[in-house]
Each structure stands twice: as C-alpha cells, then as structure tokens.
C-alpha cells in the first residue's frame, strides 16, 4: 500500500473512484461485502486529499474530528457503533454521485449561436439549467454560465437565475445528489410521492426567478441558446428511472440510478472514440471530485458520532413529547436554511437533524421532503455552500451579493414548502 501511495496513486485515483461505484453495485446485489466499496472510497479520498482547497480541508477536518471525538466518548459510555455505521454510511450516495458524473459525457456545448434576449430567453435559461442540471449536476451551471458571460462578466441577475433554478432540481430530480441524501437519511422515503410537489416547487422557482429577472433588466437579459436535443437526455433518463422502478419495484431508486446513468452515457455519448473519451474521463474528470468524496465521507462519520451521543443520553435528546408536525417541519427547515448562510453544508445539517428526528417515527416521505427542501433552498440562496462557493470562485460573484439577491426568495420558498408539506405530505 505504501508503494502504491508513493508511485501509482495519481494514475489510479480515478479507478478507485470508479471502483466505488462498481463494488457498491456488487454489494447491493449481495455478490460482495460492503467492505470493498468502502475501502475503495476511503483510498480514493486519501488520494484526492491534496487536491482539496484549504477551506474544504478545514471543514472536513472539523467534521471528522468532532465525529471521532463523539464516537470515542460514546464508546467510553458503552455505546459502540459498527464499522459499517461509521465508515460506510454514505457509500451508496457516493456511488450515485460517481454514476451521475458519467452523464457529463453526454453534454455538448453550442458556441456558434448568438445569445437570445428577452423574457423568452430568461424562461428558456431557467428551465434549461434546471432540467439539464437535474441530470449532469454542477456541470450544467458551468456550461450555461461560461457561454452566457462570453468575454464579459456574469451579471448578478444571470447568477441568481442560474443558481436558484439549478438548485431547484434538488426537489424533484432522482439524479441529484440531494435525492441520494434524502433516501439514506429518511429511511423508507417514497421518492415518487415527492415528485409532484417537487416539480411544482421547481416550476414556481422558474416562473418567479424569470419574472424578477425581467423586472430588473427590462428584458435586456442575455440567456443561453437552448436546443431541444439538449433536453432529450434528461427526459430519457427521468422516464427510464420511473419505468425501471415500476418494472423492478424491489430495486431501490438509488441502485437504479447507479445502473442507468453509466448505461445511458454509453448509449447517448457522441465521440470519435468512446474508449479514449471514457479513459480520459476516468483519468482526468473523476479525480477532480475529491471535495464531494471527502465531505460525504466526513458527514457520514460525523452523523454516526451524533447518533452515538444521542444513544448515550436518551433522556437529554428525548423528543417523545413532540411529534413531527407541520410546525416542526417549518421550524427545522428555517433553522437548516439559516445554518447554510454561515457556511454549513446541507449534508451536515441533515446529518445532525436525521438522528434526532428518526426516533419520532416521522412520515419518511415528509422527512425526505424536508431534506430536499433544505438542500434546494440552501444551495440556491447561500454564498458559502457548494454552489455559492463555485459561483464566487469561478465567476467572481461576491457571497454577500448571492445572499442579498435571494434572501426574499429563500423566505418565500420556505413558506411554500411548509404549506405544501402541510397540505400534501
């Protein structure tokens, strides 16, 4: 192992990332122990550690440190956690993340057409980045923003149209990492029941952000030159997941995505040599997702620590006198959104909240919708979480501008989510 770390890890990093997906599928169908994808994920994490930004290293370091300290304290109290609950909590989610990363290979940019203007351009951009982002995730923002800014600087109005609508896909897309998080931290969640409410929230976000952008720019908004064919892949995959789950109801949504995303990529990607492009993807693209690997592994360890401490002091964290009511839903969602404004990633707040609420036996679909809503609103309005940091570092949009642009949006979405949960879930 030491020789591998010194000499071969740079070239093998992408293969360890890919192995996390392949070995997880083997464990999901009971061909392999979950130990193997767990080892692959942690080795990949160690290999990618040096590529992390200092801020990411600090956040991950604090999460792991607190998690290990909490686990040690709980063990001293006699509450031991199994190695699976400590190191393998988020392995399914990481496998899904690797799977959907393949979909980036199906995307094609269009540099020849001029940028459209007006209300139609705003709506096309809002819907386009949400639908495309629902499948290829953060790559969609980069494709849209790079094309829209050209040789100029991305405007704050363009920023909030892209950020809000991309993040809104978390409400309804089975390919968004938020869905994997919700399925793991809200056991028993039925994703199909959150699909319609989620689509409603996504549509409302597109309409309201477009109207606000039109009001601010008086129609002088340069949007993305969307093409119909660019939306075929997201629609094809969404239908495939729904049909696949209908045919094989015993296979979880998460496992279906892990199977369908790479398969659809091989079917739909266009390249002179698929083999060469796939090799470049494994060698160059996969090793760049170190921040996600580190954050999700650290969040799993952190969550296990929190759970262990709660088990050690059941009387202190006893919420038996409470129920997971619509009021509690609204209050917790507000707290999770506020935490994101100071830089706490949604995966961290979800990891804290989940072990405290699960003993209440909440409606798992309502709990899942809480997590999806926290992710969608936080990612769309915070300047210090993943999407906000990306916009700040790549397009020089100040974090305070992102928060200022979307403060009212966050409050309104919080209110609408609370109402939808109360009425429908």
């Amino acid at each position: 192992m030491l020789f591998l770390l010194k000499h071969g890890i740079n070239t093998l990093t992408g293969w360890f990332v890919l192995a996390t997906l392949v070995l997880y599928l083997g464990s999901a169908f009971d061909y392999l122990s979950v130990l193997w994808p767990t080892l692959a994920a942690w080795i990949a994490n160690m290999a990618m550690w040096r590529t992390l930004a200092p801020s990411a290293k600090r956040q991950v370091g604090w999460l792991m440190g607190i998690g290990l300290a909490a686990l040690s304290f709980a063990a001293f109290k006699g509450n031991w956690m199994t190695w699976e609950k400590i190191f393998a909590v988020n392995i399914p989610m990481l496998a899904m993340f690797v799977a959907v990363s393949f979909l980036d290979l199906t995307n094609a940019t269009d540099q020849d057409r001029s940028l459209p203007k007006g209300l139609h351009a705003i709506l096309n951009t809002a819907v386009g980045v949400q639908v495309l982002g629902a499948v290829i995730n953060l790559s969609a923002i980069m494709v849209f923003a790079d094309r829209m800014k050209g040789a100029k600087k991305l405007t704050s109005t363009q920023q909030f149209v892209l950020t809000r609508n991309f993040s809104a896909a978390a409400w309804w897309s089975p390919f968004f990492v938020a869905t994997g998080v919700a399925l793991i931290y809200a056991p028993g969640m039925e994703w199909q029941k959150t699909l319609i409410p989620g689509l409603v929230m996504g549509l409302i976000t597109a309409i309201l952000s477009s109207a606000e952008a039109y009001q601010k720019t008086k129609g002088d908004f340069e949007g993305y030159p969307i093409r119909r064919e660019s939306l075929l892949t997201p629609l094809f995959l969404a239908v495939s997941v729904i049909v696949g789950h209908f045919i094989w109801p015993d296979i979880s949504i998460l496992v279906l995505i892990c199977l369908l995303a790479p398969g659809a990529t091989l079917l739909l990607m266009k390249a002179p040599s698929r083999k060469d492009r796939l090799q470049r993807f494994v060698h160059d693209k996969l090793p760049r997702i170190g921040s996600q690997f580190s954050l999700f592994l650290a969040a799993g360890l952190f969550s296990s620590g929190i759970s262990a401490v709660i088990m050690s002091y059941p009387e202190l964290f006893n919420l038996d006198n409470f129920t997971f009511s619509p009021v509690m839903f609204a209050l917790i969602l507000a707290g999770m959104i506020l935490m994101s404004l100071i830089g706490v990633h949604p995966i961290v707040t979800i990891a804290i909240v989940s072990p405290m609420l699960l003993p209440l036996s909440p409606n798992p679909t309502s709990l899942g919708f809480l997590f999806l809503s926290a992710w969608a609103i936080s990612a769309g309005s915070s300047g210090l979480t993943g999407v906000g940091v990306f916009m700040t570092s790549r397009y020089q949009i100040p974090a305070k501008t992102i928060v200022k642009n979307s403060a009212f949006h966050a409050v309104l979405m919080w209110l609408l989510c609370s109402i939808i949960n109360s009425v429908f879930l």
Side-chain angles (χ1 to χ4, degrees):
M1 177 62 72
L2 185 61
F3 175 84
L4 177 64
L5 291 174
K6 285 184 177 180
H7 300 283
I9 201 70
N10 290 337
T11 57
L12 292 177
T13 299
W15 292 105
F16 279 115
V17 174
L18 179 60
T20 303
L21 167 62
V22 175
L23 296 174
Y24 166 72
L25 287 173
S27 68
F29 291 102
D30 296 326
Y31 293 117
L32 296 170
S33 166
V34 73
L35 171 65
W36 299 111
T38 304
L39 283 174
W42 281 93
I43 291 173
N45 178 51
M46 289 188 291
M48 293 184 286
W49 179 259
R50 62 182 179 79
T51 67
L52 300 186
S55 58
K57 289 181 179 179
R58 284 194 298 271
Q59 185 175 17
V60 169
W62 276 106
L63 286 174
M64 287 190 173
I66 294 172
L68 289 172
L71 287 166
S72 301
F73 178 80
F76 178 76
K77 289 286 186 177
N79 290 303
W80 292 84
M81 304 288 280
T82 64
W83 71 264
E84 292 95 337
K85 290 184 178 179
I86 297 174
F87 297 108
V89 174
N90 287 336
I91 295 302
M93 185 169 55
L94 283 175
M96 173 185 162
F97 186 80
V98 176
V100 299
S101 296
F102 274 85
L103 295 170
D104 190 37
L105 295 172
T106 66
N107 185 54
T109 59
D110 183 357
Q111 298 292 338
D112 299 326
R113 301 168 66 190
S114 60
L115 297 179
K117 288 188 177 184
L119 180 59
H120 190 260
I122 301 173
L123 281 169
N124 273 353
T125 301
V127 173
V129 76
Q130 187 173 150
V131 174
L132 200 60
V135 175
I136 68 170
N137 285 231
L138 196 60
S139 299
I141 279 196
M142 186 169 63
V143 169
F144 275 61
D146 283 356
R147 181 73 173 90
M148 288 165 64
K149 76 179 183 65
K152 300 177 292 184
K153 185 179 179 181
L154 197 73
T155 68
S156 61
T157 304
Q158 289 173 320
Q159 171 269 311
F160 77 67
V161 170
L162 291 175
T163 304
R164 291 183 199 172
N165 285 284
F166 166 77
S167 303
W171 269 303
W172 59 269
S173 170
F175 296 95
F176 223 79
V177 176
T179 301
V181 175
L183 289 169
I184 291 173
Y185 286 92
M189 170 192 171
E190 297 181 64
W191 168 76
Q192 304 92 315
K193 291 185 178 180
T194 64
L195 179 59
I196 299 303
L199 285 169
V200 169
M201 291 304 302
L203 180 61
I204 290 173
T205 299
I207 293 172
L208 293 182
S209 60
S210 297
E212 184 179 346
Y214 184 79
Q215 181 185 28
K216 287 191 173 184
T217 62
K218 307 303 180 184
D220 188 23
F221 178 100
E222 291 187 327
Y224 185 81
I226 202 76
R227 298 182 300 174
R228 291 181 182 177
E229 52 267 33
S230 62
L231 301 179
L232 290 179
T233 298
L235 293 174
F236 170 78
L237 286 165
V239 172
S240 297
V241 169
I242 294 170
V243 172
H245 190 66
F246 178 78
I247 297 174
W248 300 290
D250 293 334
I251 299 179
S252 72
I253 292 288
L254 196 147
V255 172
L256 272 176
I257 293 169
C258 289
L259 290 168
L260 286 171
T265 297
L266 294 174
L267 180 66
L268 300 173
M269 67 181 290
K270 298 177 181 178
S273 173
R274 293 188 179 190
K275 180 181 177 182
D276 290 345
R277 193 173 181 193
L278 284 169
Q279 285 184 335
R280 288 197 303 271
F281 174 77
V282 173
H283 290 152
D284 299 333
K285 173 74 175 180
L286 290 183
R288 298 178 190 172
I289 61 177
S291 59
Q292 289 85 354
F293 256 63
S294 295
L295 181 60
F296 292 145
L297 288 172
L301 195 152
F302 175 83
S303 175
S304 298
I306 296 296
S307 299
V309 171
I310 291 173
M311 289 168 56
S312 301
Y313 293 94
E315 68 285 352
L316 183 61
F317 296 96
N318 186 353
L319 298 178
D320 288 345
N321 294 328
F322 297 88
T323 58
F324 187 62
S325 64
V327 173
M328 180 179 280
F329 177 102
L331 292 176
I332 292 176
L333 179 57
M336 296 174 81
I337 295 168
L338 290 173
M339 290 293 286
S340 75
L341 297 180
I342 61 173
V344 181
H345 195 280
I347 182 62
V348 178
T349 54
I350 290 171
I352 294 172
V353 167
S354 176
M356 297 182 67
L357 294 181
L358 287 177
L360 301 182
S361 300
N363 177 337
T365 302
S366 179
L367 183 62
F369 186 67
L370 168 69
F371 296 156
L372 294 178
S373 299
W375 194 294
I377 298 173
S378 298
S381 56
S382 172
L384 297 176
T385 55
V387 179
V389 170
F390 177 77
M391 298 300 288
T392 299
S393 60
R394 188 175 180 89
Y395 303 107
Q396 291 76 54
I397 305 291
K400 63 180 181 181
T401 300
I402 296 175
V403 174
K404 183 179 178 181
N405 276 344
S406 294
F408 178 75
H409 165 79
V411 173
L412 181 58
M413 293 299 107
W414 164 77
L415 180 60
L416 289 174
C417 283
S418 301
I419 293 172
I420 285 179
N421 173 70
S422 178
V423 175
F424 296 105
L425 299 174

